[in-house]
Amino acid sequence: MIDNINKIVIDIVRKSSRFLIRDFYELDSHHVGVSNGTEFTNKAFDKVKSELDNALKKYFPHIFYSSDIKDEICLHQPVILIDLTDGANNFARSLPFFSISIVIYKSYTDKATPDSVIFYFPIIKEIFYLQRNRGVWLEKISNSNSGLRRLKHQKDYLPPKPYVATNIPSILQDFSSYFQIMQFNCFSFEFCLLLLGKIDAVITIDRFS
């Protein structure tokens, strides 16, 4: 099951993103252009960042954001790493494929090591938990189909033409005869589709390199 610190973190993330959900639907209803949508998106995520900082600092002495990380995290105290950029361009276009991604680090053998990962999709209303030695869990938070369940390994084979999600242009252009290629421009969403067994592979490049 999900441990207490993950429950606390996801409760904070859900509360902090309530304005993000409102802004998404406002953006969608006004059909804002891409350039204005990007400015609107930056302001929306800045509000989320401020809310997260204020709430999480009670539990984590060190809060980092993916856009600021340049080197390996080497701290002995609990650390939280937050990514607010995955799928942000989709948000700007009123597409629901974006997430708030959280990595909680704990000290193992004198080194900060990822202990759990949370992917929260505010519009799709799904939360994925990956926790050290506790497996992978999916929580649906829609009114009609709520609940928490553990995910199990889905497939032991590849179909003749696998479904592959990628953000690499050369694969999109050159390998369409070998793969059913999908592109969501949101790595966390693609990874979670893989966990669910809905696609067969994810091929990506490091967004932060």
Side-chain angles (χ1 to χ4, degrees):
M1 294 296 291
I2 309 305
D3 68 10
N4 287 335
I5 191 61
N6 280 282
K7 291 177 182 177
I8 290 170
V9 169
I10 195 57
D11 184 58
I12 290 172
V13 171
R14 289 178 63 178
K15 289 178 179 176
S16 300
S17 63
R18 63 193 186 279
F19 298 116
L20 191 67
I21 297 170
R22 180 203 64 188
D23 290 344
F24 175 86
Y25 287 112
E26 181 178 342
L27 189 64
D28 185 46
S29 64
H30 286 81
H31 304 289
V32 177
V34 174
S35 58
N36 291 334
T38 301
E39 182 179 353
F40 188 92
T41 297
N42 291 337
K43 291 180 180 178
F45 280 96
D46 282 345
K47 284 187 284 187
V48 175
K49 182 178 183 295
S50 177
E51 292 270 334
L52 288 172
D53 284 343
N54 289 333
L56 288 171
K57 65 184 180 182
K58 301 174 185 176
Y59 304 95
F60 294 92
H62 302 285
I63 302 172
F64 296 100
Y65 289 84
S66 57
S67 55
D68 302 324
I69 291 295
K70 303 299 180 184
D71 301 309
E72 183 180 5
I73 295 174
C74 296
L75 295 169
H76 300 296
Q77 297 172 294
V79 175
I80 191 162
L81 172 63
I82 304 170
D83 183 11
L84 297 177
T85 64
D86 194 15
N89 289 335
N90 288 337
F91 181 97
R93 293 176 176 268
S94 304
L95 297 172
F97 310 119
F98 64 92
S99 72
I100 297 174
S101 303
I102 304 285
V103 183
I104 299 173
Y105 288 78
K106 293 183 180 179
S107 181
Y108 291 98
T109 62
D110 296 326
K111 181 179 179 181
T113 303
D115 183 74
S116 57
V117 180
I118 299 169
F119 297 120
Y120 173 45
F121 301 95
I123 305 303
I124 299 172
K125 296 183 178 180
E126 291 182 346
I127 308 168
F128 289 78
Y129 305 86
L130 295 79
Q131 192 163 3
R132 185 184 178 98
N133 299 325
R134 297 195 183 192
V136 182
W137 298 78
L138 167 62
E139 181 179 2
K140 291 182 176 288
I141 50 178
S142 62
N143 292 331
S144 60
N145 188 22
S146 298
L148 181 69
R149 66 182 175 94
R150 186 169 185 172
L151 300 182
K152 298 180 180 179
H153 182 67
Q154 298 289 329
K155 294 181 179 179
D156 292 315
Y157 70 94
L158 285 177
K161 196 172 184 181
Y163 281 79
V164 175
T166 185
N167 62 350
I168 302 176
S170 60
I171 292 178
L172 292 169
Q173 296 169 4
D174 301 335
F175 292 90
S176 59
S177 60
Y178 301 99
F179 305 132
Q180 298 280 0
I181 296 178
M182 313 173 79
Q183 186 177 23
F184 296 97
N185 295 315
C186 179
F187 169 74
S188 55
F189 182 72
E190 296 167 352
F191 179 68
C192 289
L193 288 179
L194 182 65
L195 292 176
L196 290 169
K198 294 185 177 182
I199 61 176
D200 302 298
V202 176
I203 305 174
T204 189
I205 56 177
D206 184 358
R207 295 184 298 117
F208 308 114
S209 60

